[in-house]
């Protein structure tokens, strides 16, 4: 008995001696709801609503509830797919800009209750909340403030309805983890049949303070998303990436929905006043909504993996959109892509290599075990290594018993005390020499670095600059398998196609007759000519492992060898070739301060049967002149023109992908793309790449 008492005494003296205060928080810190949200990391967006049935990205609001008619809607399938993909939640478009409500809201007749689905007795939000519960997933709701259907949109009565809709969603469906407010406010709409343009002031109209209060009152644990929070922020693009430098803090009071300086959302503000971490939202397909024509454009595994490393790997969360189809199911192709993506990520992070290794810090807070280096490899996110108050530069060195191959580093700061690290480098001891692998800036909740595989005896992380003493909760090391990537297809103006893969050991096989390529198909050796429309199918093949990638298909049309730009409405004709050079990364633009609609005329060099055209918007970092409304004309002589198609490239500004527009078969030698409306203040139009869809 005595010995235990003595032991207890010694232990308590020891622990009272080593009680060193934790570092003081630095800058704004996350709330509990933030911390819970950071842990969610990877979750699904589901765009499923009226647009699914009208094949639109933005409905006008003039649609009829009778058009909402899924044939086999099964929210359990969505939940199963999300769960098996490793996602932890689903955010559903309860109401998109067209105003149609997926639940029987009392505020409007424009809801599922007037649709044929379940004889008007359905409530999709209820179904989904039950499905999420069954699969242990969190539920979030997207509620568009802009409502192109509501007759009272623009008046205070609409705002009252909007708030009531929010109340309904946050009261009747159990816990909600995220409320998503879209910043888009386009102006024109159906608005009860008036079909007019209604402008509101984004900053004041929706009474954001009151909106936030409603969420806090009904769902205190939910985070609120918008361009600028108040809790979490848009990342400033819909392509799926955050900047390498990514602060979870921002000068929030400067931001409002539709903020023109949105590029700053990509990296946050180092001197931020509020915790406002970035959510990276992107779709698994070109569109947010399902379009059968995009069935072949489901993002490839390499593309999804890239997005993973550029979102979660850069201190963001990853909200991946699944456009549920007209049946009401996640399409088979999307399911296959999600599965393949998950197994890739699982393989990358299969075996952690730092755990249990010797780890030494250059400084330890108060010399206290509580803050010692091994806290970063104990697998416990609640413990962390910390340095003394005056130490903002320090290092951690991990030693292996024998040379060990590594190519991934995962770091996490102890964010309950704020985001601190401003600059760090990664070094490796290879053959008794220290080499610098990478120097980077921020870490935050999570940062992952990818680097060439090297065989090291030691790994050192040097923290070079920090806002205060260091507080690092986690360090992980991995050796991810070699990446077998689908070949990248590029083509030049003469029609020659080049296929490339990053790894020279990987072989490429292809077909041009529609059949599935195998390692017995034509082996790619050098660039080859394609002159007429075909679907090019390719695989990459690792002959050592006898493993191949999934088949990727690329529609290729006539070669542009004899194409000439014959006329431009302004600007330099000679430079306009950049719009038909087969490279969407280059562009041609009309003159700047122009007030008339701009057009480009192309001579195809021969008469072709056309069934459509393609338009790549400009791919510049800071784009301008994107055509949002177009007219496409055809002619056999370049003088007499007929309109082949006219319409809107919906959401093209946020999602700058190739637009493929089909029309009735027509013979033509000349084509003209006219920019009826563009993004920007003038009529300046830009053209990344123009192509045709032709048939025999
Ligand atoms: C955008 C919307 O306009 C798109 O339609 C989509 O919902 C996307 C997630 O946000 O701002």
């Amino acid at each position: 008995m005595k010995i235990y008492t003595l032991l207890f005494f010694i232990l308590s003296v020891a622990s009272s001696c080593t009680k060193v205060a934790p570092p003081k928080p630095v800058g704004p810190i996350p709330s509990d709801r933030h911390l819970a949200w950071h842990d969610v990391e990877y979750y699904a967006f589901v765009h499923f609503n009226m647009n699914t049935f009208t094949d639109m990205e933005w409905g006008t609001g003039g649609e009829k509830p009778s058009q909402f008619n899924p044939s086999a809607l099964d929210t359990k399938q969505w939940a199963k797919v999300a769960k098996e993909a490793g996602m932890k939640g689903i955010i559903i478009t309860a109401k998109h800009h067209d105003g149609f409500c997926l639940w029987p809201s009392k505020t409007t007749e424009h809801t599922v209750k007037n649709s044929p689905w379940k004889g008007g007795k359905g409530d999709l939000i209820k179904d989904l909340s039950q499905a999420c519960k069954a699969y242990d997933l969190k539920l979030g709701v997207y509620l568009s403030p802009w409502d192109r259907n509501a007759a009272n949109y623009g008046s205070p009565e609409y705002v009252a309805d909007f708030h009531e809709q929010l109340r309904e969603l946050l009261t009747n469906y159990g816990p909600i983890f995220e409320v998503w407010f879209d910043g888009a406010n386009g102006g024109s709409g159906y608005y009860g049949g008036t079909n007019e343009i209604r402008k509101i002031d984004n900053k004041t109209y929706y009474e954001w303070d009151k909106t936030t209060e409603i969420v806090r009152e009904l769902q205190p644990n939910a985070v609120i998303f918008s361009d600028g929070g108040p809790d979490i922020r848009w990342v400033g693009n819909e392509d799926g990436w955050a900047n390498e430098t990514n602060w979870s803090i921002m000068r929030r009071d400067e931001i409002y929905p539709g903020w023109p300086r949105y590029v700053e959302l990509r990296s946050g503000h180092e001197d931020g006043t509020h915790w406002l971490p970035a959510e990276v939202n992107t779709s698994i397909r070109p569109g947010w909504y399902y379009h059968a024509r995009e069935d072949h454009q489901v993002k490839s595994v390499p593309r999804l993996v890239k997005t993973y490393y550029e979102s979660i790997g850069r201190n963001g969360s990853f909200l991946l959109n699944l456009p549920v189809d007209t049946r009401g199911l996640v399409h088979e192709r999307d399911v296959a892509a999600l599965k393949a993506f998950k197994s890739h990520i699982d393989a990358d992070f299969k075996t952690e290599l730092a755990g249990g290794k010797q780890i030494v810090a250059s400084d330890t807070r108060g010399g206290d075990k509580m803050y010692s280096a091994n806290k970063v490899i104990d697998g416990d996110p609640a413990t962390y290594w910390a340095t003394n108050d005056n130490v903002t530069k320090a290092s951690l060195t991990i030693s292996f018993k024998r040379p060990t191959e590594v190519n991934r580093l995962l770091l996490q700061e102890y964010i309950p005390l704020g985001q601190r690290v401003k600059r760090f480098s990664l070094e490796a001891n290879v053959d008794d020499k220290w080499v610098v692998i990478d120097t980077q800036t921020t870490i935050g909740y999570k940062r992952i670095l990818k680097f060439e595989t090297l065989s090291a005896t030691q790994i050192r992380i040097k923290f070079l600059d920090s806002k205060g003493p260091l507080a690092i909760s986690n360090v992980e090391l991995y050796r991810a398998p070699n990446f077998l990537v689908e070949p990248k297809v590029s083509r030049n103006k003469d029609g020659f196609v080049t296929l490339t893969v990053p790894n020279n050991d990987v072989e490429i096989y292809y077909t041009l007759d529609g059949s599935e390529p195998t390692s017995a198909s034509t082996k790619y050796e050098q660039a080859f000519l394609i002159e007429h429309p075909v679907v090019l199918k390719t695989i990459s093949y690792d002959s050592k492992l006898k493993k191949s990638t999934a088949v990727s298909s690329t529609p290729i049309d006539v070669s542009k060898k004899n194409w000439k730009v014959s006329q431009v409405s302004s600007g330099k004709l000679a430079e306009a070739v950049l719009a038909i050079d087969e490279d969407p990364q280059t562009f041609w633009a009309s003159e700047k301060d122009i007030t008339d609609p701009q057009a480009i005329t192309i001579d195809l060099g021969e008469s072709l049967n056309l069934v459509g055209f393609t338009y790549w918007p400009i791919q510049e970092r800071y784009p301008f002149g994107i055509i949002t409304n177009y007219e496409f004309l055809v002619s056999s002589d370049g003088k007499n023109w007929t309109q082949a198609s006219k319409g809107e490239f919906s959401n093209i500004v946020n999602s700058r992908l190739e637009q493929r527009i089909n029309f009735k078969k027509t013979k033509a030698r000349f084509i003209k793309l006219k920019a009826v409306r563009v993004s920007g203040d003038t009529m300046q139009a830009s053209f990344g790449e123009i192509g045709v869809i032709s048939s025999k």
Side-chain angles (χ1 to χ4, degrees), residues 491 533 555-560 563 579-580 582 602-604 606 608-615 632-634 658-663 668-672 689-695:
R491 193 185 192 201
I556 297 202
D557 218 280
V558 289
S559 109
K560 295 180 181 171
W563 288 28
I580 52 166
E582 290 284 14
I602 297 158
D603 177 356
L604 305 176
E606 63 181 320
L608 293 171
N609 282 317
L610 301 183
V611 290
F613 78 98
T614 62
Y615 167 70
F632 191 81
L633 303 128
V634 293
E658 186 184 41
Q659 309 290 309
R660 295 180 74 83
I661 303 292
N662 288 97
F663 49 70
R669 167 159 176 174
F670 296 86
I671 59 171
K672 186 189 287 201
E689 186 70 22
I690 299 165
V692 294
I693 308 173
S694 66
S695 87

Side-chain angles (χ1 to χ4, degrees), residues 45 47 51 57-58 93 96-97 142 146 180 182-185 227 234 238 281 288-289 321 651 654:
F45 217 171
H47 274 66
N51 292 336
E57 279 291 306
W58 281 4
T93 48
H96 205 251
H97 310 324
Y142 168 117
W146 183 29
W180 219 93
D182 202 305
N185 269 285
D227 286 5
W234 182 43
E238 293 182 351
N281 66 308
W288 290 102
Y289 279 94
N321 180 62
N651 199 30
N654 286 330

